[in-house]
Amino acid sequence: MPLSTSTKKNFIRVGNVLSLLLLFVANAVSLNLHPSPIDIYYKHLTYLSPSLIFVGIFVIVLYVLLFGFVFYVQFSNAFIIQRVVTSTVGCLLIVSNLLMCGWLFSLTSEKFYLSEMFMFLALLVTLRFHHNIVVHFSPTSHPSTQVTKIIAFVNTPFSMYTAFTLVGFVYTGFLAFTNDDELFAFVAVVCTWLLAIFGMAWTVTGIWSGGRRDGVMGAAIAWALLAIAVQQREVRHISIQCTVLSVTMSVILLVIWINYGGSLSQAARSQRNIVVEQYAPLLHSESDG
């Protein structure tokens, strides 16, 4: 027997809260384990190990925004937000949080092949909900009454989460399959270029989303490249390359932001009136109720 809309919505809400709390507690507890993720980090340094300070700042911001989503935004009764919760995100956030718990557990157990598998699955899930959000609920397609909430607590954290799993997948792969041979320094160079190309493709063309650009994805990857550059100062060619790529991405992001008035989505802006008209009767009837 299929679940009613109300039951499905409540299940997703509760699941989002519990899974995010579980992931947060797992991270907090893991810091007191031996070995902790920090111990693992220093024990298995790679050519793509990022600065822990940069990672810490990123994770703090990500958690604040995700908590804003699960404890605040998802409980809004606005129709468009409820559609984001039940249809666009659905159970994907729950699954990704659980997979990240598996990644963390296997990482601290130094089972890097298993941790890479968990991160790969998490990446597939986050790419899915990120694509859904960018394509179907890009920032400029929302009614003005809800746009701030959705940009701050939906588009931004879900893009950051996807970027985190992408970079984490590459980093964990280095833990699992590489060592300190010079050959893998070259592989690291290739990987940083691929990350930069991926980030710039979202920022400049929106190639995988029908032209809907996502500047947050580009900015998050630029931040990750800068984190690698800071940590890899002794490996000068990697550090310099990551710095140049990060700065280049940041400049491109700024130019696009200025040219498109901060929307970063020319295609979405051109469709704004269509989407708003589509939801206007529903929003109107909801307010009447």
Side-chain angles (χ1 to χ4, degrees), residues 57-68:
I57 293 172
F58 186 91
V59 170
I60 289 172
V61 174
L62 176 58
Y63 266 120
V64 168
L65 297 179
L66 284 175
F67 273 111

Side-chain angles (χ1 to χ4, degrees), residues 41-42 45-46 49-52 226-234 239:
Y41 170 86
Y42 284 113
L45 289 171
T46 74
S49 294
S51 165
L52 288 181
L226 187 59
I228 295 171
V230 170
Q231 182 60 34
Q232 302 298 327
R233 293 186 299 273
E234 295 182 2
S239 182

Side-chain angles (χ1 to χ4, degrees), residues 250-272:
S250 300
V251 171
I252 292 173
L253 180 64
L254 181 61
V255 169
I256 294 178
W257 184 276
I258 293 172
N259 288 342
Y260 294 106
S263 71
L264 299 183
S265 182
Q266 184 180 31
R269 186 171 66 242
S270 67
Q271 297 178 4
R272 179 174 183 173

Side-chain angles (χ1 to χ4, degrees), residues 47-188:
Y47 287 113
L48 288 182
S49 294
S51 165
L52 288 181
I53 295 176
F54 279 70
V55 173
I57 293 172
F58 186 91
V59 170
I60 289 172
V61 174
L62 176 58
Y63 266 120
V64 168
L65 297 179
L66 284 175
F67 273 111
F69 172 75
V70 301
F71 284 103
Y72 170 54
V73 172
Q74 72 164 346
F75 291 101
S76 169
N77 289 322
F79 171 81
I80 194 167
I81 290 182
Q82 286 311 304
R83 186 167 182 185
V84 170
V85 172
T86 59
S87 300
T88 305
V89 176
C91 295
L92 294 175
L93 179 59
I94 301 171
V95 175
S96 62
N97 288 339
L98 295 178
L99 288 170
M100 290 301 295
C101 287
W103 170 78
L104 186 62
F105 174 78
S106 55
L107 183 72
T108 54
S109 301
E110 298 186 74
K111 298 177 180 178
F112 299 133
Y113 296 112
L114 182 61
S115 61
E116 176 71 342
M117 183 191 74
F118 275 116
M119 187 59 83
F120 175 68
L121 295 175
L123 174 61
L124 294 181
V125 175
T126 57
L127 282 172
R128 181 61 184 176
F129 64 51
H130 176 262
H131 181 269
N132 289 347
I133 290 170
V134 171
V135 171
H136 301 297
F137 291 94
S138 50
T140 54
S141 68
H142 304 311
S144 59
T145 56
Q146 305 297 334
V147 68
T148 301
K149 287 182 184 179
I150 295 178
I151 290 177
F153 296 110
V154 180
N155 291 86
T156 299
F158 282 90
S159 292
M160 291 177 67
Y161 201 160
T162 307
F164 181 86
T165 57
L166 174 62
V167 176
F169 170 69
V170 177
Y171 167 71
T172 308
F174 260 69
L175 287 178
F177 301 109
T178 73
N179 52 43
D180 58 358
D181 290 347
E182 285 298 318
L183 169 64
F184 294 114
F186 172 76
V187 176

Side-chain angles (χ1 to χ4, degrees), residues 127 130 159 162-163 166 198-199 202-203 214-222 249:
L127 282 172
H130 176 262
S159 292
T162 307
L166 174 62
F198 188 92
W202 274 110
T203 301
D214 178 20
V216 176
M217 172 70 81
I221 292 178
M249 291 179 68

